[in-house]
Amino acid sequence: MKSIPVLLMGCGGVGRDLLQHILTCRSLHAQQGLALRVVGVCDAKSLIAVSDDDLLIAQLTDPFLKEICRFKASSPSAPLSDLKTFDECVIYTTESAEKVVEIASNLGRSTGLVVVDCTASAETIGILTRVVDLDTIPHIQSFTSFALDSYLVGAGLPVITSLNRILASGDYVRCMIGSLSGTLGYVMSEVADGKPFSAVVKEAKSLGYTEPDPRDDLSGMDVARKVESLYPDKMGPGKMSLEDFLGSGLPLLDEDVEERIKAASLRGNVLRYVCIITDSSCGVGIQEVPKDSALGRSKGSDNVLEIYSRCYNKLPLVIQGAGAGNDTTAAGVLADIIDLQDLFSS
Amino acid sequence: MKSIPVLLMGCGGVGRDLLQHILTCRSLHAQQGLALRVVGVCDAKSLIAVSDDDLLIAQLTDPFLKEICRFKASSPSAPLSDLKTFDECVIYTTESAEKVVEIASNLGRSTGLVVVDCTASAETIGILTRVVDLDTIPHIQSFTSFALDSYLVGAGLPVITSLNRILASGDYVRCMIGSLSGTLGYVMSEVADGKPFSAVVKEAKSLGYTEPDPRDDLSGMDVARKVESLYPDKMGPGKMSLEDFLGSGLPLLDEDVEERIKAASLRGNVLRYVCIITDSSCGVGIQEVPKDSALGRSKGSDNVLEIYSRCYNKLPLVIQGAGAGNDTTAAGVLADIIDLQDLFSS
Ligand SMILES: NC(=O)c1ccc[n+]([C@@H]2O[C@H](COP(=O)([O-])OP(=O)(O)OC[C@H]3O[C@@H](n4cnc5c(N)ncnc54)[C@H](OP(=O)(O)O)[C@@H]3O)[C@@H](O)[C@H]2O)c1
Ligand SMILES: NC(=O)c1ccc[n+]([C@@H]2O[C@H](COP(=O)([O-])OP(=O)(O)OC[C@H]3O[C@@H](n4cnc5c(N)ncnc54)[C@H](OP(=O)(O)O)[C@@H]3O)[C@@H](O)[C@H]2O)c1
């Protein structure tokens, strides 16, 4: 049986579902000769981990992991340190980041360790760069699927795996164009059906598709840095309240969006809010795409990625599916962990 | 540098493009610390291989592989033994199958060997079962991506990789539905646009999308065994000549197809010729699919596969792209070979 130590940062929506999936898959993984050994779980304020003496063999037990999931589902804003029952484990409420680095460094020198970041925090970047000890990178890189490129794009969609396959076969990627924000995908396909922009944004908000302030989605910042915002600067979060934006700001944008849709339609195109990457450029914004392309025909909140390469030159390789959802995203993270199994010895 | 010995059976369209890709990727693979060492190439009548004494180190040289490609492109029906120039190699014109098994057995015990089947022949199945020595299966299975499931579906599309990811993450596949015949995909989407079935089949034939006798596609045998044929028994190849089928048989089918399309349309559906796999059943035939599903919206000869699972339950994970073409298929085969790299030692 091959044992893979795992330390999980973040037990909100995705992290919690990841723990659930790990529990559900116990027997499946055992059949494959694998056991995921969860040595620690942390949230923003605390870390629960096995004691230093037991680091090489112990794990947080399954009933305790279940209890963590239950607790975080019912009291999302309470820290793990408020848990009533505890395992044979240690709880760190200060210096938890230091402790994560220490555990990673200890296990990194012996069994190896998968550190999973399921937070939405920029703070963990500092932890991650310290965790990935420069000594281990050459070792990691000698394997096909290695930690550093095994991250997630489009929730659980097999984007990175598929790109790796294309590159490994010597095919040459010319361009990628994708709608990787479920929210903006929904908005753009609904306005194409003739509904006013303002009504669609409010609808998306009431369906729970948007962030509490929908401008967080409309600014495009969720997708990349070089972006075209769907609202002008003067309606930005610092300058206009959320109520004013929803009430009087948003409807002012309807006419402009409608005109752009009509102009595109004359050219047989529809508008989509996409991310485009070519050899020489990368951008995010509204783009006309052919009405009958996979992107043009996409509906609802699905993510769509089109990859054009030497092999897929006229018609792209298309990968499409739910690009959000804790369950799906967590399943993708688990698949990434399992992909790393060859790095660990039995 | 890790050296991966390769023996190629079949150097028609796909096999030839595979050799080309291997040559083109030499420096890319070198950067990844890999070298593909082609120890033998065979067609239906002959095998060209390095000599037994050199089996552990030698390879067919790149200029010679280029010459093989050139020769097979210009004289597809001539056997490799008609080649004018030869490398330091041996040519077998009889017992070439025996020789393939012998080489595989020798290398299987030492360096390992990737045997690639790019023929359309049933004869090679016998060779492959003998080549995969039962002793080696447990060893192979201890790796993530192992030979036996690293085959091709939908030409180069990342179908198997994506399925492996889904299964590894404990997600549960409920149903797969796909249009995996480019020819039938084209036919079904064109008839949905109102053209007569007979005209579309003839069009597909003239575009080179079909086999010389289009009934080879229309019978569905290319897709699976349990199939619904698009023509009745009495128009079968044994009972009606190709001319009669194209001339008088085919138009008799137009009305029936038209009626089925209309009936589907009343239910908001379109007809597609699909393969469906669920927990309990597997079948191939004409199926109504929602007009606005990925399958329903597919156009032209693209392959489309929809995977429904616990995670992808309302909207499926969709993989779509060119499902044929020597170049694309060969790129997929090469990606499969590279996927096996962890099985070989440096
Ligand atoms: N949900 C999706 O559909 C989806 C899809 C694709 C990608 N993602 C990405 O996945 C990530 C997680 O999403 P989510 O929905 O699970 O977020 P979430 O529900 O807000 O959970 C975030 C978790 O991270 C913890 N955390 C925050 N800062 C931390 C720190 N410095 N150190 C350790 N833990 C910290 C939080 O702790 P507290 O519990 O103490 O607040 C919380 O448990 C995000 O980056 C998101 O963009 C999500
Ligand atoms: N082309 C595509 O787009 C595509 C897509 C998906 C899958 N495929 C599959 O890929 C396979 C190859 O397709 P293709 O288009 O390359 O076919 P092809 O052009 O007909 O080439 C077949 C090759 O196999 C050789 N061969 C036949 N019997 C053999 C035997 N018993 N031992 C060794 N070699 C033998 C042939 O030798 P000779 O040269 O002596 O005739 C020829 O070189 C087929 O199974 C096809 O269904 C093709």
Side-chain angles (χ1 to χ4, degrees), chain A residues 8 31 42 50 79 139 145 167 171 206 219 243 263 269 287 322 333 339:
Chain A
L8 172 62
Q31 280 166 31
C42 56
V50 299
H139 172 64
S145 46
L167 296 175
D171 193 2
S206 72
S219 71
E243 288 81 65
N269 293 336
Q287 182 83 18
V333 177
D339 262 356

Side-chain angles (χ1 to χ4, degrees), chain A residues 283-313:
Chain A
V284 176
I286 292 187
Q287 182 83 18
E288 292 191 16
V289 298
K291 209 182 289 234
D292 61 355
S293 66
L295 265 170
R297 285 178 278 122
S298 65
K299 288 264 167 205
S301 65
D302 259 12
N303 279 8
V304 182
L305 183 71
E306 298 182 350
I307 303 175
Y308 288 88
S309 67
R310 196 197 62 238
C311 285
Y312 298 98
N313 55 3

